[in-house]
């Protein structure tokens, strides 16, 4: 597979693909980075940001590494669709980089290293990261002890949060990971119960939240503002009001409220019955 084929399959725009093709990383430099990625990630990430034009450098480096890891996906019998969907995060964050800095590239390099190590997979609308609980989860109905194997659910900024596509993603995850986990967990502004104070029951966000049982809210995290407005402003009155969600959230935070980040858990299907 060529880098162009990879870029086209994950849906990158032609202008970005051309910049990737024009940006060259010498083989010796690439080999050095790849070895450091495997042996000393802290140094890898620090060194990466020392590069001139490091955003585009990171994009080209990560694409080249992703092309190489395709063989590992095949060896494990992972479908091509899962491979390309998983790495579509490169496209999403490249678009974010262009929006924020006006240049092609990547910024969230630590996060985007996960698919290169097969530590996260996108299955339909959602991403799933196998982890062990660092702390026990207690709800009114059950307890998941520390160390329990779960799937950490992430929601890519990639279209509507349609409830049917989310349910399909959970079903795909059950089939993909089979018996290797006990539950799904999610820590996000999208599962904060506080959102019920500004969104109606018909909202896709509220429906998505309803798929989880809440076990806490984490403060202070202004993730909701970052995701809804694209930036965090100290002068909250400057937030735009282009959508109903923006208008509702702006009023909510101007009134001195904060959604925080909700913590939700959802047992796998056989455990819920």
């Amino acid at each position: 597979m060529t880098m162009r084929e990879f870029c086209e399959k994950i849906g990158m725009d032609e202008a970005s693909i051309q910049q990737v093709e024009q940006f060259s990383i010498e083989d010796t430099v690439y080999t050095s980075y790849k070895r450091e990625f495997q042996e000393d990630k802290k140094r890898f990430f620090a060194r990466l940001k020392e590069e001139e034009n490091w955003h585009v450098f990171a994009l080209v480096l990560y694409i080249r590494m992703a092309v190489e890891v395709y063989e590992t996906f095949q060896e494990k019998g992972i479908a091509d669709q899962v491979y390309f969907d998983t790495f579509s995060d490169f496209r999403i964050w490249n678009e974010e980089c262009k929006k924020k800095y006006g240049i092609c590239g990547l910024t969230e390099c630590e996060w985007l290293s996960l698919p290169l190590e097969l530590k996260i997979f996108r299955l339909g609308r959602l991403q799933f990261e196998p982890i062990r609980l660092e702390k026990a989860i207690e709800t009114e109905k059950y307890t998941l002890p520390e160390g329990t194997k779960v799937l950490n659910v992430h929601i890519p900024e990639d279209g509507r949060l349609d409830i049917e596509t989310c349910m399909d993603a959970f079903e795909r995850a059950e089939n993909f990971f089979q018996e290797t986990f006990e539950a799904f967990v999610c820590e996000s502004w999208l599962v904060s119960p506080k959102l019920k104070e500004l969104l109606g029951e018909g909202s896709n966000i509220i429906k998505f939240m309803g798929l989880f049982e809440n076990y806490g809210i984490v403060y202070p995290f202004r993730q909701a503002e970052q995701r809804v407005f694209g930036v965090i402003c100290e002068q909250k009155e400057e937030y735009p009001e282009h959508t109903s969600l923006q208008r509702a959230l702006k009023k909510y935070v101007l009134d001195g409220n904060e959604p925080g980040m909700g913590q939700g858990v959802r047992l796998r299907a056989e455990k819920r019955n």
Side-chain angles (χ1 to χ4, degrees), residues 222 225 229 231-241 246 249-259:
R222 298 170 65 182
E225 294 169 63
F229 302 114
V231 66
I232 294 177
C233 291
E234 295 310 318
Q235 303 300 320
K236 297 181 176 66
E237 62 273 9
E238 296 179 2
Y239 281 138
E241 300 182 39
Q246 287 182 339
L249 182 59
K250 180 176 180 177
K251 182 178 185 306
Y252 190 73
V253 297
L254 282 173
D255 289 341
N257 302 305
E258 183 182 346

Side-chain angles (χ1 to χ4, degrees), residues 78-92:
I78 300 173
D80 283 3
Q81 187 66 54
V82 174
Y83 169 79
F84 290 118
D85 285 351
T86 296
F87 282 105
S88 67
D89 231 18
F90 288 8
R91 167 182 53 80
I92 293 170

Side-chain angles (χ1 to χ4, degrees), residues 49 57 83 115 133-135 137 139-140 148 174 259 272:
K49 294 183 180 181
F57 182 95
Y83 169 79
L133 292 179
E134 296 182 357
K135 294 173 58 178
I137 290 176
T139 74
E140 294 181 357
T148 299
E174 300 241 5
R272 293 199 308 273

Side-chain angles (χ1 to χ4, degrees), residues 85-214:
D85 285 351
T86 296
F87 282 105
S88 67
D89 231 18
F90 288 8
R91 167 182 53 80
I92 293 170
W93 286 102
N94 175 54
E95 291 299 322
E96 180 67 19
C97 186
K98 291 195 294 183
K99 186 189 307 180
K100 191 171 184 179
Y101 300 109
I103 57 174
C104 177
L106 299 178
T107 55
E108 300 293 326
C109 295
E110 288 88 346
W111 164 253
L112 293 170
S113 71
L114 295 179
L116 293 171
E117 299 179 282
L118 281 75
K119 290 183 177 179
I120 193 168
F121 299 91
R122 180 165 180 174
L123 304 169
R125 181 64 183 86
L126 304 172
Q127 296 165 314
F128 301 92
E129 175 192 9
I131 62 171
R132 288 183 180 269
L133 292 179
E134 296 182 357
K135 294 173 58 178
I137 290 176
E138 296 185 12
T139 74
E140 294 181 357
K141 301 176 182 177
Y142 55 84
T143 298
L144 295 177
E146 176 184 341
T148 299
K149 293 180 179 180
V150 297
L151 294 182
N152 198 9
V153 180
H154 302 276
I155 309 99
E157 293 188 53
D158 190 21
R160 296 175 65 251
L161 195 63
D162 180 78
I163 197 66
E164 291 185 4
T165 60
C166 291
M167 291 296 294
D168 175 68
F170 284 119
E171 184 176 347
R172 292 191 195 191
E174 300 241 5
N175 294 329
F176 185 84
F177 293 98
Q178 299 183 1
E179 303 299 322
T180 60
F181 73 103
E182 298 295 316
F184 301 95
V185 298
C186 184
E187 185 171 284
S188 169
W189 72 278
L190 289 166
V191 294
S192 170
K194 293 292 183 178
L195 294 178
K196 294 179 180 178
E197 299 174 7
L198 60 152
L199 297 175
E201 291 298 322
S203 162
N204 280 336
I205 292 176
I206 298 301
K207 292 177 182 178
F208 179 76
M209 183 192 309
L211 300 177
F212 297 87
E213 183 175 356
N214 178 263

